[in-house]
Amino acid sequence: MSSRATSSPMLLLTYIGRVCILCTKRAISARFLIAVILVISTFCYLVFIPLWEELTIPTAGDRGTCCLSADRPVDICGRSNCTWPTCSVKSQYSLKQIHGGAFFIETSGSATLNFRQACAVESLAHHNPNLTVNVLFMGGRINTSLVTLKKLKEKYDNIHLISFNLDDYMAGTPLEYWYHCNSWRDGPFHVSHLSDALRFLTLHKYGGYYFDLDVISVRPVTDLRNFVAAESDDYLGSGVLHAEFKNPVMELAVKDFATNYRQVEPIDIISPPKFLNLNFSSRSDVWGHNGPALLLRVLKSWCKAQDLLEMDYVSCHGFNVLHYSSFCPVDYSVATKEFFIHRPANQSRPFWLTDQVVGVHTWNKLTYNKPIYKNSTQRYTWLARNHCPSIFAIAPEIF
């Protein structure tokens, strides 16, 4: 507790006492004295006391170090050297009014979006004007003066830029213990794993659509409900999701994440205890274990199915596994070539852009360092020019 907060009540009593002495010395009437005391008391009740309480009660973000309660002198991780007083779980942020919207999540700590990310956000807002498109910045700040965010805000009323403090966002959720007490920050894929956690948690908390920042929408999505998009015939993705508020699949996903989180390869662990029952796997498995592989585990149990071909609307109790052509018409194995080659003169659009395609996953982890030339016939250029026209207009010649 700060010295300011501790001394404030005593200062208040001192000031009231001085006023009373002054009034007595000047022989002011008792009625006037009572009126002065009432005014001061009312002011303290309405302004000073709430302010003092705010100063003395730690925010939700302090729950990693403060005591859970007066009866439990340990922090959220069970450590006894916690800080008094107890802290509040109430977050200053709320998204209660936007159930059923769409979410992009920036987890790297950046306060803005690059041109490719902004293109993905615009494309969704452009094709779905009645859908609230929320871009959540988990670094705690947003720089709306930069050109990409400024353009998005100017052109689209349905795009909302929201800054969150991660500690507050996690407070009181099933992932709070993982967030504060797991050493996930030390892992090689910590940003990717945080992104996995936040997409499941966000849909669990609010419901709606989730899109990775490298998915360019090419037509409306709002006719599709309660789904995950496959990336191939036998591999499930997690880059495009929809779940209605309180959908049990997202609840199961959050629980699985907290229970089965994997940070490093089991092979990196020296002589693991036998009770851990760890299976050795590749680095790619560790990268996907908490994302696509998690959803596959959850849906195998939920749908009582062994593979994607057995997962349908009926067996999955209203949840859908969309064919990979809906959002992954270009396989990752050819992405570095397919998006950057030039279209033939007699081809108006990419051959893989069929009527079944709702969005195009551009595989940023593989393609981020491949240049896009604005005045070219590259297939990526065609996508940007036609589906994020405002961002494309302000993009540099190479982006």
Side-chain angles (χ1 to χ4, degrees):
M1 187 184 301
S2 68
S3 58
R4 175 188 173 188
T6 305
S7 59
S8 295
M10 294 302 298
L11 286 173
L12 177 63
L13 292 175
T14 301
Y15 291 144
I16 293 176
R18 288 178 179 176
V19 170
C20 292
I21 293 171
L22 180 62
C23 292
T24 303
K25 286 183 177 180
R26 298 196 174 190
I28 297 175
S29 68
R31 183 178 299 176
F32 181 77
L33 177 60
I34 292 173
V36 170
I37 294 174
L38 286 175
V39 168
I40 293 175
S41 301
T42 303
F43 174 79
C44 293
Y45 179 79
L46 295 177
V47 178
F48 187 83
I49 291 177
L51 177 61
W52 177 67
E53 289 178 347
E54 182 179 335
L55 289 171
T56 57
I57 299 177
T59 63
D62 295 319
R63 282 170 58 81
T65 57
C66 70
C67 300
L68 293 182
S69 69
D71 299 327
R72 299 178 63 190
V74 294
D75 65 16
I76 192 70
C77 304
R79 297 172 296 211
S80 58
N81 58 337
C82 56
T83 304
W84 292 95
T86 57
C87 49
S88 169
V89 297
K90 183 179 180 180
S91 172
Q92 59 181 307
Y93 303 103
S94 176
L95 290 176
K96 291 181 179 179
Q97 303 304 316
I98 57 173
H99 286 308
F103 300 91
F104 292 92
I105 305 178
E106 207 301 312
T107 54
S108 71
S110 173
T112 188
L113 301 176
N114 63 38
F115 287 98
R116 298 190 191 189
Q117 293 172 326
C119 177
V121 173
E122 180 186 2
S123 68
L124 183 64
H126 177 71
H127 289 291
N128 301 272
N130 296 321
L131 181 66
T132 300
V133 178
N134 304 286
V135 186
L136 310 186
F137 290 81
M138 293 301 176
R141 57 197 177 92
I142 304 174
N143 190 345
T144 53
S145 66
L146 297 180
V147 62
T148 52
L149 298 189
K150 187 176 181 180
K151 179 60 68 173
L152 291 176
K153 291 298 293 180
E154 286 177 356
K155 291 292 184 178
Y156 295 92
D157 293 335
N158 59 327
I159 293 179
H160 295 174
L161 309 177
I162 307 172
S163 174
F164 276 98
N165 177 283
L166 262 175
D167 290 359
D168 288 337
Y169 200 76
M170 292 289 186
T173 73
L175 294 185
E176 184 180 22
Y177 181 87
W178 167 83
Y179 175 73
H180 285 294
C181 312
N182 190 291
S183 59
W184 62 272
R185 294 172 180 83
D186 300 328
F189 307 116
H190 62 281
V191 174
S192 177
H193 291 174
L194 176 62
S195 177
D196 290 330
L198 289 172
R199 71 189 65 187
F200 302 138
L201 181 61
T202 298
L203 296 191
H204 171 62
K205 290 173 72 171
Y206 306 115
Y209 296 89
Y210 168 81
F211 292 87
D212 275 348
L213 280 163
D214 59 353
V215 176
I216 298 178
S217 298
V218 299
R219 56 174 45 92
V221 72
T222 49
D223 287 340
L224 301 174
R225 313 284 294 178
N226 294 314
F227 69 85
V228 56
E231 292 183 350
S232 67
D233 281 329
D234 55 3
Y235 195 75
L236 203 60
S238 62
V240 182
L241 300 164
H242 179 270
E244 292 174 347
F245 181 51
K246 294 188 177 180
N247 187 289
V249 173
M250 285 302 108
E251 180 180 0
L252 292 171
V254 171
K255 289 181 178 178
D256 187 283
F257 190 97
T259 303
N260 300 313
Y261 176 73
R262 182 183 296 170
Q263 174 181 318
V264 296
E265 302 172 76
I267 199 170
D268 291 339
I269 302 175
I270 300 175
S271 302
K274 292 182 179 180
F275 69 83
L276 289 180
N277 192 28
L278 296 174
N279 296 316
F280 292 95
S281 60
S282 66
R283 288 181 69 84
S284 61
D285 173 64
V286 177
W287 176 80
H289 176 83
N290 310 298
L294 180 153
L295 280 177
L296 185 59
R297 292 194 300 273
V298 167
L299 289 179
K300 279 184 175 181
S301 174
W302 177 252
C303 307
K304 301 294 189 292
Q306 295 304 309
D307 55 47
L308 299 188
L309 296 178
E310 297 179 16
M311 296 177 186
D312 56 33
Y313 183 84
V314 176
S315 64
C316 295
H317 313 286
F319 203 81
N320 299 278
V321 176
L322 302 184
H323 189 264
Y324 65 83
S325 62
S326 58
F327 287 95
C328 294
V330 175
D331 189 73
Y332 77 94
S333 61
V334 297
T336 55
K337 174 184 177 182
E338 188 59 43
F339 288 120
F340 304 96
I341 61 175
H342 296 269
R343 292 178 294 108
N346 61 348
Q347 190 180 81
S348 61
R349 65 179 186 175
F351 69 92
W352 36 260
L353 200 61
T354 66
D355 292 340
Q356 284 72 47
V357 179
V358 181
V360 179
H361 185 191
T362 60
W363 304 100
N364 180 66
K365 285 184 174 62
L366 302 173
T367 63
Y368 72 94
N369 60 349
K370 299 280 288 184
I372 301 171
Y373 296 95
K374 191 172 182 178
N375 295 316
S376 74
T377 58
Q378 288 175 305
R379 287 168 176 164
Y380 205 130
T381 303
W382 185 93
L383 284 172
R385 179 184 292 114
N386 287 276
H387 299 289
C388 57
S390 296
I391 292 298
F392 184 80
I394 63 171
E397 292 305 310
I398 303 175
F399 66 98

